[in-house]
Amino acid sequence: MALTETARANHAALFPGHVSTLRNTDPELIEIFDNFAFDEVLRYGELDTRTRLMTQLAALIAIPALGEYRVMLGAALTVGVTPVEAREIVYQAVPYVGMGKVFDLLHATNDVLAEHGLDLPLPGQSTTSPSTREQEGLAVQQRIVGKQVVDGMYAAAADDEVHIQHYLSANCFGDHLTRTGLDLKTRELLTFSMLAALGGCEAQLRGHVTANRTVGNDRPLLLTVLTQLLPFLGYPRTLNALRVLDDTAPAA
């Protein structure tokens, strides 16, 4: 099997001048993968290259896939994902996949940015303070999830668990989702990608399918994202996420 011209062109656009060592050691697998990931799945749906790379970075953080992440981060910067956008993807991953997974990816991000000649730290993007983070986070949470749903979560929480609801409002939404650098629609798409890649988070993924639709990301877009994540996630997690999408936002 030879690389298709489309796969070759799309790969070259992401990695100009790069020759993969795997092309020499594992040519059959690389031809299969590149034809699939850089040609076949890209024919489905409409997703601009920058957004595709950002959702793939989010998924690779959640897996986590350190080596592939470094490679794809370089590609993302090549096609115009800004350093601040790349940094914000990593920061947003912290409340969704945990610092335990993000730690090495954050260091890798800083290494790649430094290799591209950037001085760190990058400009800050925080918009809240210790006194406003919970109030502003709750407002964003209610906008995305729905006031009735959020109120119900607080009301249903046991007395010894209600602090977790406050953490969700103040930390997850107040510290992270209120940041600039990425708009809310993009942030929700990244969250969808992370939860799909994590697996075992179907209840949360269901909620964020609804949240994505609330902020304007419809079923065709979510299905396109899943399709283009497939080569990196594999079929089991993709099919599990697809089931959630079908249950929550069925085809018309």
Side-chain angles (χ1 to χ4, degrees), residues 142-146 209-217:
Q142 290 174 338
R143 174 185 170 189
I144 295 173
V145 181
V209 169
T210 300
N212 267 278
R213 297 175 76 194
T214 298
V215 300
N217 297 327

Side-chain angles (χ1 to χ4, degrees), residues 33 55-70 72 89 93 96-98 100-105 190-201 228-235 237-238:
F33 180 81
T55 60
Q56 288 171 341
L57 289 176
L60 291 169
I61 293 168
I63 291 174
L66 178 59
E68 186 72 4
Y69 172 82
R70 287 185 62 102
M72 295 304 288
I89 296 169
Y96 289 102
V97 309
K101 287 189 174 184
V102 172
F103 184 82
D104 289 339
L105 283 299
L190 297 175
T191 301
F192 172 79
S193 304
M194 292 174 193
L195 294 176
L198 274 173
C201 300
Q228 297 185 10
L229 290 180
L230 171 58
F232 301 94
L233 298 189
Y235 285 93
R237 290 186 181 183
T238 302

Side-chain angles (χ1 to χ4, degrees), residues 26-46:
D26 302 272
E28 289 182 316
L29 177 59
I30 292 305
E31 288 171 0
I32 291 169
F33 180 81
D34 283 6
N35 283 340
F36 187 52
F38 299 112
D39 183 356
E40 190 170 359
V41 301
L42 300 188
R43 300 177 211 162
Y44 182 87
E46 296 182 4

Side-chain angles (χ1 to χ4, degrees), residues 45-244:
E46 296 182 4
L47 190 64
D48 65 273
T49 303
R50 290 179 70 261
T51 303
R52 169 166 58 89
L53 268 292
M54 286 193 282
T55 60
Q56 288 171 341
L57 289 176
L60 291 169
I61 293 168
I63 291 174
L66 178 59
E68 186 72 4
Y69 172 82
R70 287 185 62 102
V71 171
M72 295 304 288
L73 176 56
L77 296 172
T78 295
V79 300
V81 174
T82 70
V84 167
E85 288 171 332
R87 194 269 311 273
E88 288 302 309
I89 296 169
V90 186
Y91 281 22
Q92 183 166 327
V94 174
Y96 289 102
V97 309
M99 182 58 88
K101 287 189 174 184
V102 172
F103 184 82
D104 289 339
L105 283 299
L106 178 57
H107 280 290
T109 301
N110 290 336
D111 289 345
V112 172
L113 293 177
E115 290 166 6
H116 280 71
L118 294 158
D119 292 328
L120 301 177
L122 297 175
Q125 303 296 318
S126 179
T127 65
T128 61
S129 68
S131 63
T132 65
R133 59 196 283 267
E134 183 163 5
Q135 180 182 0
E136 294 188 27
L138 179 62
V140 174
Q141 185 182 15
Q142 290 174 338
R143 174 185 170 189
I144 295 173
V145 181
K147 186 178 186 302
Q148 286 186 325
V149 174
V150 176
D151 289 348
M153 291 165 60
Y154 271 90
D159 289 345
D160 62 349
E161 296 177 359
V162 71
H163 63 288
I164 301 296
Q165 298 304 320
H166 288 286
Y167 292 166
L168 277 168
S169 298
N171 177 240
C172 184
F173 288 89
D175 289 339
H176 293 276
L177 271 294
T178 60
R179 293 175 62 83
T180 52
L182 291 170
D183 62 34
L184 203 54
K185 288 181 67 173
T186 302
R187 288 187 181 278
E188 266 305 308
L189 209 57
L190 297 175
T191 301
F192 172 79
S193 304
M194 292 174 193
L195 294 176
L198 274 173
C201 300
E202 281 71 27
Q204 290 75 23
L205 183 59
R206 186 174 297 109
H208 280 280
V209 169
T210 300
N212 267 278
R213 297 175 76 194
T214 298
V215 300
N217 297 327
D218 58 14
R219 173 188 165 89
L221 176 58
L222 296 178
L223 183 54
T224 299
V225 168
L226 273 183
T227 301
Q228 297 185 10
L229 290 180
L230 171 58
F232 301 94
L233 298 189
Y235 285 93
R237 290 186 181 183
T238 302
L239 292 174
N240 286 347
L242 182 60
R243 186 186 311 120
V244 172

